[in-house]
Amino acid sequence: MTEQDRVTVNDPRGPVNNGEGHQYVFYGVGADWMNRKGVESLRITREDRVRLADRFVPPVGYRVAADRLEKPGSVVLLEGPPGSGRRAAAIMLLHGFGEDGGADKEGVRFEELPVTGKDENPLVPGMGDRFLLDLSGIADEETYDKAQRCLAMRRSQVQEAGAHMVVVLPSGMEHAHPPDLELHTVRLGRPRGVAVVTRYLRMDRMPFRPVDLGNPDLQHLCDRSPMRELARLAGLVRAARGSGRFGADFAGWLDQAMHAVTDRAGEVGRQVAAVRTAPERALLLATAMFEEARADIVYEAWHGLMKTVRHEEEATTELARTDFGERLVGLGIERDPDGRLRFERLAYADAVRTYFWANFPGVRDDLRDWIGRAAGLRGLTTDDRVNVVVRFGERALAVGRPDHLFDLVAHWADRATGTPCDPRAVAALELGLGHERFGGWFRKRMYECVARSSSLSDGLARVLTTACVQSLSATHPDQAVVRLHYLAVKKGEVAREAREALLDLASRDRRLYRLLIDRLRDRARREPHGAEPHLQLLTDLLRSDRAPDPPPWPDLFLGWEAVFSQPPTELWNPLVSNWLNAVAGDSTREMALDVMVGATRGRAAALHRLYTIACDWAGSAHHPSRAAVAALFWQYIDHVQYGRTERADAGPRTTEETR
């Protein structure tokens, strides 16, 4: 990947001891929906790390790794079989640092680093920062070799800064591990599967006894399944209880969950083999995609699917065909009292979707086009629409087609009318951004859209802005700054929205504030003929109400120096006046006067302009505080221009004096 950046690890619903497979960051539009429906995610804010810790069962070797990570500047490499919970262990190891009374220490970062590739912004770790580098998805030696070179550089930076880093090594690549890191490598063993299931069930307040987990089939699953599957099993037990359709005792819920985990794929395969006609197969898939939607909507989606795959309508009238209800019964689909459709068996819809995407690759383009239209059917609730988006996105990403999901992002975004974003487009993009395997693909695609596209639609620009604010700012804040910057210097109302989002993001984080100042200074210097948009943005960023509190004077100095060193000078007046007002209202900010004067680097024309601005500002309102601030400002200007520490009159100089 050619453009990736640091990642703040964030994970509200990721399974404990997660192994192989894909997970998602999904929040912002539809976040409440995600929490209700149990969509897996890899966000790990502090609150979510606490949730993960409640369900975490330490694997063998965990204590050894924790002891090695205690020393500032330490780097620990984790090795273990797939499914043993290496990533979750890495997250929990890092979670143990930077905690203070249950909260992260201010300014301490918890971020995930890109596997390979050149960062948009260089890594600058600080004391106590925590970094995760997950190499478990690497499957070829060439990529691993590049990752090792990046690892060597980052390891040195982490050690020098006194930070902490945990690296998850790829399995099956032991022969290619760098020998010099052997002393830093800890091999993890698989935790007891039944302990993981027990922990999850207890946290879900499930009424069960230890003897209820003595089922031999369950023991077999616990001994062999990846930790992620065991977390899914516990979630299905919870879903079975919540549905109210599978009895009122734990044994019945567990039985349904066991069948959902072990039997569903085979059951779907046998049903599809038995159902040979296109209408029945299309109805099976349409119900799986629109499960829990009203029957009339599923009916309309079903006919839309048949039209999309070019199935010829039967010559007979509908009244002469098998009726809709009979078709549903024949396929094991039931209609609840509210008229919504669902499969009779737990988790059957997910197995149907998985089967069709895996076994009918020739119709995937048609399925994309169908969902692009069907997700907008009249009568669908927002929940229904987001359901469909996530279900399609999961399948498209599972078969390696992130482009299909982004096609729909652009399709829905371009058709949005007015200011609000289409929630389908935002949900689809956030789903892609949070995918463990393809998140980097979506970040790169966003970058290409904002940096290279000369015909970016307002709708897509709004969706990209929203995704930066709601998703990327929490997981990859540096990359959010880069993309919002590109959007902010375009023209129009959408650019104004991106500019406000960017300034708000940078103002809330001192590191991002400095990062944006440096980026704007660099762009203004490298693009002298196109510097004005960057300088205008920099001027807005340097306002007193945008600066972090307390003000970072060295950063402000660099920003003011850039503004004062080149045209347009009309940007100076509102910026300087803003800070004069701030000083008049808060004497603790008097340092701004000295720093602004110093940022002129003693240039006479610049000093004269500051003096003139202060004169106009002081004269615009006859108030003692303004006169005192202006007098102090003039003293700083005189000290630089004339080498004097103070003037006897402490008032405005004459026109002759300023020549």
Side-chain angles (χ1 to χ4, degrees):
M1 214 160 285
T2 57
E3 68 82 36
Q4 290 192 14
D5 198 14
R6 296 189 295 278
V7 182
T8 301
V9 184
N10 284 247
D11 177 340
R13 304 191 66 80
V16 171
N17 302 94
N18 51 314
E20 299 303 298
H22 308 309
Q23 293 188 330
Y24 311 90
V25 176
F26 186 74
Y27 52 107
V29 173
D32 291 340
W33 176 93
M34 177 194 75
N35 290 329
R36 291 198 304 276
K37 299 298 183 180
V39 173
E40 291 181 347
S41 159
L42 223 65
R43 281 182 63 222
I44 309 179
T45 59
R46 190 198 67 82
E47 293 79 8
D48 300 325
R49 297 198 304 270
V50 170
R51 182 184 186 278
L52 183 62
D54 287 340
R55 290 156 175 78
F56 180 68
V57 177
V60 176
Y62 181 85
R63 188 66 259 167
V64 174
D67 290 342
R68 292 189 182 183
L69 194 64
E70 284 186 355
K71 182 181 177 182
S74 55
V75 176
V76 173
L77 290 79
L78 301 181
E79 190 176 59
S84 60
R86 296 165 294 170
R87 182 181 175 95
I91 292 168
M92 287 295 94
L93 285 168
L94 293 168
H95 177 64
F97 294 92
E99 302 293 312
D100 184 12
D104 287 351
K105 292 180 180 177
E106 183 179 357
V108 174
R109 296 150 63 190
F110 192 119
E111 300 185 5
E112 183 172 354
L113 302 173
V115 174
T116 58
K118 183 179 180 181
D119 291 353
E120 292 167 1
N121 298 299
L123 176 65
V124 184
M127 173 68 76
D129 285 349
R130 296 160 288 171
F131 299 101
L132 170 67
L133 180 59
D134 189 353
L135 308 181
S136 62
I138 294 178
D140 63 277
E141 291 191 23
E142 182 179 355
T143 304
Y144 190 34
D145 184 61
K146 293 178 181 177
Q148 287 180 30
R149 291 197 292 270
C150 290
L151 170 59
M153 178 181 65
R154 291 162 176 163
R155 178 189 171 203
S156 175
Q157 293 171 315
V158 166
Q159 289 175 332
E160 291 178 6
H164 306 269
M165 182 167 69
V166 177
V167 182
V168 182
L169 295 174
S171 61
M173 304 283 289
E174 288 78 6
H175 62 283
H177 290 345
D180 60 316
L181 293 180
E182 184 65 32
L183 292 175
H184 303 277
T185 302
V186 177
R187 182 164 184 83
L188 299 181
R190 176 188 172 86
R192 291 180 62 242
V194 70
V196 174
V197 173
T198 299
R199 192 71 169 263
Y200 260 89
L201 294 174
R202 284 178 176 165
M203 293 308 299
D204 289 333
R205 299 183 179 180
M206 199 66 62
F208 74 100
R209 300 165 300 168
V211 69
D212 294 331
L213 303 182
N215 185 313
D217 291 334
L218 176 60
Q219 292 293 331
H220 181 78
L221 278 176
C222 289
D223 291 341
R224 296 177 179 270
S225 296
M227 298 300 108
R228 179 167 295 164
E229 281 301 302
L230 298 182
R232 178 172 177 260
L233 173 67
L236 288 170
V237 175
R238 182 179 66 247
R241 178 184 65 174
S243 71
R245 295 189 291 138
F246 303 107
D249 62 277
F250 179 80
W253 305 329
L254 179 61
D255 182 66
Q256 285 294 323
M258 293 276 292
H259 281 294
V261 168
T262 59
D263 300 337
R264 291 297 179 254
E267 291 172 359
V268 171
R270 289 188 292 273
Q271 182 178 24
V272 174
V275 176
R276 308 301 300 182
T277 66
E280 270 66 30
R281 287 182 172 181
L283 180 54
L284 196 64
L285 180 56
T287 304
M289 291 300 298
F290 287 82
E291 189 178 35
E292 301 295 342
R294 290 189 297 105
D296 287 355
I297 294 173
V298 177
Y299 179 88
E300 191 175 349
W302 170 44
H303 278 273
L305 174 56
M306 288 193 290
K307 183 178 180 180
T308 302
V309 298
R310 295 165 292 281
H311 174 73
E312 295 293 335
E313 282 283 350
E314 297 179 41
T316 59
T317 177
E318 183 170 4
L319 289 175
R321 305 173 203 158
T322 304
D323 69 61
F324 187 51
E326 188 177 346
R327 290 180 189 268
L328 295 175
V329 171
L331 294 173
I333 301 166
E334 60 185 25
R335 193 179 337 208
D336 71 12
D338 294 329
R340 295 180 176 271
L341 299 187
R342 62 193 180 197
F343 286 95
E344 295 171 355
R345 284 165 283 189
L346 181 68
Y348 198 79
D350 182 60
V352 170
R353 296 190 295 269
T354 300
Y355 185 90
F356 273 91
W357 255 268
N359 294 287
F360 293 90
V363 300
R364 290 172 187 164
D365 288 353
D366 290 333
L367 295 179
R368 173 201 58 197
D369 298 341
W370 168 56
I371 292 299
R373 293 186 291 268
L377 289 174
R378 186 175 302 176
L380 287 171
T381 66
T382 300
D383 249 16
D384 293 333
R385 296 182 199 280
V386 178
N387 264 319
V388 173
V389 169
V390 173
R391 289 166 182 169
F392 172 82
E394 287 177 336
R395 291 302 97 219
L397 296 174
V399 298
R401 294 306 303 265
D403 56 311
H404 276 184
L405 188 55
F406 196 85
D407 287 346
L408 292 186
V409 172
H411 172 79
W412 290 322
D414 289 346
R415 282 156 181 75
T417 56
T419 301
C421 293
D422 189 311
R424 297 169 299 176
V426 177
L429 182 53
E430 292 189 338
L431 181 65
L433 287 169
H435 192 264
E436 188 174 327
R437 177 182 172 194
F438 289 112
W441 186 95
F442 281 89
R443 294 192 296 273
K444 181 178 179 181
R445 190 72 182 86
M446 288 178 67
Y447 182 85
E448 292 170 348
C449 284
V450 301
R452 302 171 191 170
S453 176
S454 58
S455 57
L456 185 65
S457 71
D458 284 357
L460 184 54
R462 282 195 170 97
V463 168
L464 297 177
T465 299
T466 301
C468 284
V469 172
Q470 295 183 169
S471 179
L472 211 57
S473 64
T475 61
H476 298 68
D478 296 28
Q479 290 195 19
V481 166
V482 170
R483 284 148 187 76
L484 286 172
H485 177 201
Y486 277 109
L487 290 165
V489 295
K490 296 181 183 296
K491 297 180 179 179
E493 176 64 19
V494 177
R496 187 194 65 77
E497 296 167 9
R499 185 162 54 250
E500 286 302 310
L502 174 60
L503 294 173
D504 182 64
L505 174 61
S507 297
R508 288 186 281 111
D509 187 298
R510 301 178 76 88
R511 186 181 65 83
L512 295 181
Y513 189 78
R514 173 60 183 268
L515 171 67
L516 184 55
I517 287 177
D518 289 345
R519 182 176 175 82
L520 293 171
R521 290 172 63 237
D522 179 65
R523 286 306 176 93
R525 184 168 55 249
R526 285 165 47 193
E527 304 172 17
H529 298 295
E532 185 169 352
H534 305 292
L535 288 173
Q536 177 66 66
L537 193 54
L538 179 58
T539 303
D540 291 341
L541 180 66
L542 295 172
R543 289 172 53 91
S544 64
D545 51 329
R546 293 287 189 186
D549 190 25
W553 300 117
D555 301 341
L556 290 168
F557 173 86
L558 293 173
W560 286 332
E561 181 186 41
V563 173
F564 295 159
S565 65
Q566 56 191 307
T569 54
E570 56 264 26
L571 297 176
W572 296 27
N573 197 316
L575 177 60
V576 175
S577 297
N578 173 264
W579 274 97
L580 292 175
N581 283 328
V583 174
D586 183 358
S587 61
T588 65
R589 297 198 163 199
E590 283 184 1
M591 176 71 74
L593 307 178
D594 192 15
V595 175
M596 274 194 290
V597 171
T600 65
R601 294 291 186 182
R603 293 186 299 275
L607 291 169
H608 175 63
R609 186 163 187 83
L610 291 186
Y611 166 77
T612 302
I613 292 171
C615 285
D616 293 341
W617 174 80
S620 63
H622 299 289
H623 195 280
S625 64
R626 285 204 170 194
V629 169
L632 183 58
F633 198 32
W634 293 327
Q635 288 182 27
Y636 285 123
I637 293 172
D638 282 354
H639 176 69
V640 171
Q641 191 166 17
Y642 299 106
R644 299 200 301 243
T645 57
E646 62 178 349
R647 291 172 53 237
D649 57 352
R653 296 191 300 273
T654 64
T655 303
E656 190 66 29
E657 281 184 285
T658 61
R659 285 179 181 171

